[in-house]
Amino acid sequence: MGKTKRRKLHRYIFAVYMILLALGISGCGSDGETAATDGQQAGETVQMEEKEDILTTLCLDIYEKADREGCLNELDTIRQLVDRFGENGYAAVDAQNQVDMVCPEQVAAFCEKVEAKEEAEATIVAVTWQNSFIKYDLQTTEGKVSGTRSYYHYSDSHLEQTDFGDYTVSSWMYTEDGYLLFSGSWVSEEIYAFTMGNMGENVALRVAPLDETCRELNRKYILPISYKKNNMFLIDWSEEDFGELDLYDLFDILYTDQNGTSAPYTPAGDLSKGTVYEIPKEIFESVIQSGLNINVDMIRSKTVYHGDSETYEYKPRGFYEREYPEEHPFPEVTDYTENNDGTLTLTVHAVSPYKWTSKVFAHEVVVRPLDNGGVQYVSNHVIPSETNGEPTWYTPRLTAEEWDEIYGKNQ
C-alpha cells in the first residue's frame, strides 16, 4: 500500500477517535429560534429559554411511548416525530431522508431568498435515528447563510438540549431534483474542550416529496446492499455475465440478511496478521445463491475453492481494506418499472453530501422478487453521463499478491 493511502487511513482513525469522544455531547439537532447573543437584552434571553423548554416537551410523549414499546428508532416512530414538528409549524425531515419533509415550502422559500441575496430566516429540524434531533436556526444576508445548531437527545424519559453552538455555513446549494445540500461547522464550549476546534458536517436533506412506493422499494431492495464495502451497484453485471462482481463482499452482506446476524468470520485482533477461514461449501454457496441466480461452477470460478476439503477460502477485510464512512453516498430509488417477466427495474441515484451532489451517478437495478419474500438481484447498469463521479470511497479487497506482501511474513 502506498504512503498516501496509509496516511489517509491514519487521519481517518484519528477523526473517528475524536468523533467518539464528542459523541456524547454533540449530535444532529438545532434550535428553530435565533440564539441569544451577549448583546441581547435579558427579556429576549428569557423568551428564548421558554421556547427551548417547549421543544423539550413537544414530542416527549412520542419518545416515551416508543421507548416503552422498544421501537425508538423504527420508521413509524421517526414519521410520527416529523409529523409532530410539522403540526407545530416547523419544517422537518428525518436525517436519512426516509420520510417526506413537512412544511417544505418554508425551506424552498428560504432557498429562493438565499439565491436572490435577500434577508430571510428559517428553521429546519432533522430527526436522527439515534433518539435525537437537530434544529438548525438559519439566517441569510447577501447570499450568505449562518445561524445556530442545537442537539436534543432523549434518554431515560428525558428529552433535553445537550449541545448548542453558533453555526457557520460554508457551502449551500438547492438542486433541481429538490435536495438541499450544505456544509457547516459549529463550536460549543463542550466540543471545544475535547477537540480544541470546530466540528463540521456535510448535510443532504430532501425538500421535494418522493413517491412512497419508490421509498419502499429502496428500503426493501437497495438500502440493504447500498454502497458500503461492495461493488454490486458500482459496475455493470448481469446473470449472463457477472463481470467483476465481488462475491466475498456480497457474502458478508447476504449472510446478515439470511441469518439475522453478522458473519462470524472476522479479522484477528492482531492487525499485523491476516486471517484466513475455510467456510464449508454448504454455507458459502447457500448464502450467495440466496441473493443471486448463480450456479456453483460460476461461484467457484470467482473465488478460491478447495475441492479436497470442500471449503471456500475466505479472508475478511482487514486494516488495509478499510473505507471512509463519511464518503459513502446513500441510494435513492427515483423511478421503477414492473416488467412482464415479474422483475422490477429500479432507477437509483447515489446521493453524496461528501461529494456535494444529489447524484454522483445513476444506475438501473433489476431485481426478481421471490414468493418466499426474498429477492434475487438480476443485473446492474451504470447509466452513462459526463457528470458521473468516481466511486472514490470504494476500497477493493487486496489481491492475493498484495495480501501475501502485507501479511505473509507475519503468518
Side-chain angles (χ1 to χ4, degrees):
M1 172 175 290
K3 294 182 179 179
T4 300
K5 189 170 184 180
R6 287 198 294 270
R7 286 197 295 270
K8 193 172 184 182
L9 277 168
H10 295 159
R11 289 199 300 270
Y12 162 67
I13 293 171
F14 177 76
V16 170
Y17 173 72
M18 299 307 296
I19 290 171
L20 288 174
L21 286 176
L23 198 56
I25 57 174
S26 69
C28 293
S30 170
D31 174 25
E33 288 68 42
T34 304
T37 64
D38 293 339
Q40 289 179 303
Q41 297 179 355
E44 293 174 318
T45 302
V46 171
Q47 183 181 25
M48 175 66 182
E49 291 174 350
E50 290 175 348
K51 291 180 179 180
E52 293 300 338
D53 289 340
I54 292 174
L55 280 179
T56 59
T57 59
L58 186 63
C59 48
L60 180 59
D61 61 315
I62 298 177
Y63 278 113
E64 290 178 329
K65 182 175 183 293
D67 195 6
R68 291 193 302 270
E69 297 176 354
C71 56
L72 270 172
N73 294 310
E74 294 185 3
L75 179 62
D76 186 59
T77 300
I78 302 299
R79 194 187 305 277
Q80 290 180 50
L81 292 167
V82 170
D83 288 344
R84 178 65 62 82
F85 283 113
E87 292 165 0
N88 286 270
Y90 292 96
V93 69
D94 76 292
Q96 294 186 18
N97 296 292
Q98 295 302 303
V99 177
D100 277 353
M101 177 178 281
V102 293
C103 303
E105 66 281 354
Q106 297 179 16
V107 179
F110 182 78
C111 291
E112 291 178 359
K113 295 293 186 180
V114 174
E115 181 69 21
K117 297 185 177 181
E118 300 177 2
E119 294 187 2
E121 297 182 353
T123 295
I124 305 174
V125 178
V127 179
T128 79
W129 294 64
Q130 293 85 36
N131 311 347
S132 58
F133 62 87
I134 307 169
K135 190 164 174 284
Y136 298 96
D137 206 13
L138 305 173
Q139 307 95 41
T140 180
T141 302
E142 297 181 350
K144 298 180 179 179
V145 180
S146 62
T148 58
R149 181 188 190 278
S150 302
Y151 178 66
Y152 294 79
H153 184 73
Y154 170 83
S155 179
D156 299 326
S157 299
H158 293 285
L159 180 62
E160 60 181 346
Q161 182 191 89
T162 58
D163 189 39
F164 174 86
D166 291 333
Y167 194 71
T168 301
V169 176
S170 56
S171 301
W172 179 277
M173 179 171 62
Y174 186 61
T175 69
E176 292 182 358
D177 53 354
Y179 258 97
L180 172 59
L181 305 170
F182 62 91
S183 300
S185 61
W186 72 98
V187 64
S188 65
E189 292 182 3
E190 292 87 352
I191 289 177
Y192 191 80
F194 281 92
T195 67
M196 300 300 289
N198 294 1
M199 293 291 288
E201 63 181 357
N202 296 308
V203 180
L205 300 176
R206 172 167 275 283
V207 178
L210 186 64
D211 180 84
E212 186 58 30
T213 300
C214 287
R215 292 190 185 279
E216 292 174 0
L217 293 171
N218 192 42
R219 287 190 289 268
K220 189 171 184 178
Y221 300 127
I222 306 300
L223 276 173
I225 304 294
S226 197
Y227 306 110
K228 181 180 180 180
K229 294 181 181 179
N230 78 93
N231 67 352
M232 174 174 267
F233 300 144
L234 306 183
I235 62 172
D236 286 4
W237 63 270
S238 69
E239 290 180 340
E240 290 72 37
D241 181 3
F242 287 95
E244 299 301 317
L245 184 61
D246 191 316
L247 296 187
Y248 286 116
D249 283 340
L250 196 57
F251 174 83
D252 293 341
I253 297 170
L254 294 178
Y255 185 98
T256 301
D257 184 61
Q258 185 184 69
N259 298 277
T261 183
S262 299
Y265 312 107
T266 57
D270 186 349
L271 296 179
S272 67
K273 295 183 177 181
T275 309
V276 182
Y277 291 94
E278 300 293 333
I279 302 178
K281 67 176 184 179
E282 294 81 7
I283 294 177
F284 193 88
E285 290 168 3
S286 68
V287 168
I288 296 299
Q289 290 178 329
S290 70
L292 294 176
N293 181 18
I294 183 173
N295 62 46
V296 170
D297 290 340
M298 180 58 68
I299 295 175
R300 294 177 183 179
S301 72
K302 296 180 68 61
T303 56
V304 177
Y305 178 71
H306 300 297
D308 53 346
S309 61
E310 296 188 325
T311 60
Y312 286 86
E313 183 176 287
Y314 176 82
K315 299 172 181 176
R317 281 176 172 264
F319 178 81
Y320 294 98
E321 295 155 304
R322 291 172 181 259
E323 294 183 347
Y324 314 104
E326 75 277 5
E327 295 187 21
H328 288 136
F330 60 87
E332 184 176 80
V333 173
T334 60
D335 198 6
Y336 65 96
T337 301
E338 298 179 357
N339 303 315
N340 293 331
D341 61 358
T343 62
L344 297 170
T345 299
L346 312 179
T347 301
V348 188
H349 290 181
V351 183
S352 175
Y354 181 84
K355 287 182 174 291
W356 197 244
T357 178
S358 58
K359 188 171 66 175
V360 181
F361 60 88
H363 56 112
E364 291 181 337
V365 183
V366 178
V367 298
R368 181 183 296 115
L370 303 178
D371 293 338
N372 62 3
V375 59
Q376 287 179 338
Y377 292 89
V378 178
S379 67
N380 182 73
H381 171 62
V382 178
I383 300 174
S385 173
E386 294 181 356
T387 62
N388 282 352
E390 293 295 325
T392 54
W393 64 86
Y394 174 65
T395 301
R397 287 175 179 263
L398 295 174
T399 65
E401 293 76 14
E402 292 170 334
W403 197 94
D404 288 338
E405 181 182 352
I406 294 172
Y407 297 116
K409 61 180 179 296
N410 294 321
Q411 297 307 300

